Amino acid sequence: PQDRLRERLGHRIKLLRVERDWSLKELAAATHLSVSQISSIERGANLPSIESLLAICRAFDKKPSEILLSIDF
């Protein structure tokens, strides 16, 4: 289940970034996270911390519950 969560959440974050036509660098700047951190989240290698997830949600103007509901987990 945790692997599936990492994969789905990472994929959803990547889709949100691509929809906005943002590079990894642009999302990193908006969230104050590193490019490598975001990349590893998007690839499903790492699950974001609560703080990182909140920063990503703020960058996309989304509630964490919206993103978690959208991944059907």
Side-chain angles (χ1 to χ4, degrees), residues 12 15 18 20 27 31-32 38-39 55 60 64-65 69-71:
R12 181 67 180 132
L15 285 177
V18 169
R20 292 198 179 207
L27 181 55
T31 58
H32 303 290
I38 293 171
S39 177
F60 293 127
S65 57
L69 283 171
S70 72
I71 64 171

Side-chain angles (χ1 to χ4, degrees), residues 43-56:
R43 289 191 323 270
N46 290 311
L47 200 56
S49 67
I50 292 295
E51 292 89 355
S52 296
L53 180 61
L54 291 173
I56 292 166

Side-chain angles (χ1 to χ4, degrees), residues 1 3 13 20 24 36 43 47 58-59 63-64 70-72:
D3 289 344
I13 290 168
R20 292 198 179 207
L24 282 169
S36 62
R43 289 191 323 270
L47 200 56
R58 278 193 298 271
K63 293 180 182 177
S70 72
I71 64 171
D72 191 31

Side-chain angles (χ1 to χ4, degrees), residues 1-69:
Q2 194 172 6
D3 289 344
R4 196 172 74 203
L5 174 61
R6 278 198 316 266
E7 289 172 12
R8 288 184 178 184
L9 184 57
H11 182 70
R12 181 67 180 132
I13 290 168
K14 183 174 183 174
L15 285 177
L16 288 167
R17 180 177 61 78
V18 169
E19 285 172 6
R20 292 198 179 207
D21 200 28
W22 283 359
S23 66
L24 282 169
K25 192 173 179 179
E26 288 170 316
L27 181 55
T31 58
H32 303 290
L33 302 173
S34 70
V35 169
S36 62
Q37 200 174 358
I38 293 171
S39 177
S40 69
I41 291 168
E42 287 187 357
R43 289 191 323 270
N46 290 311
L47 200 56
S49 67
I50 292 295
E51 292 89 355
S52 296
L53 180 61
L54 291 173
I56 292 166
C57 290
R58 278 193 298 271
F60 293 127
D61 197 29
K62 301 266 185 202
K63 293 180 182 177
S65 57
E66 287 179 78
I67 292 179
L68 292 172
L69 283 171

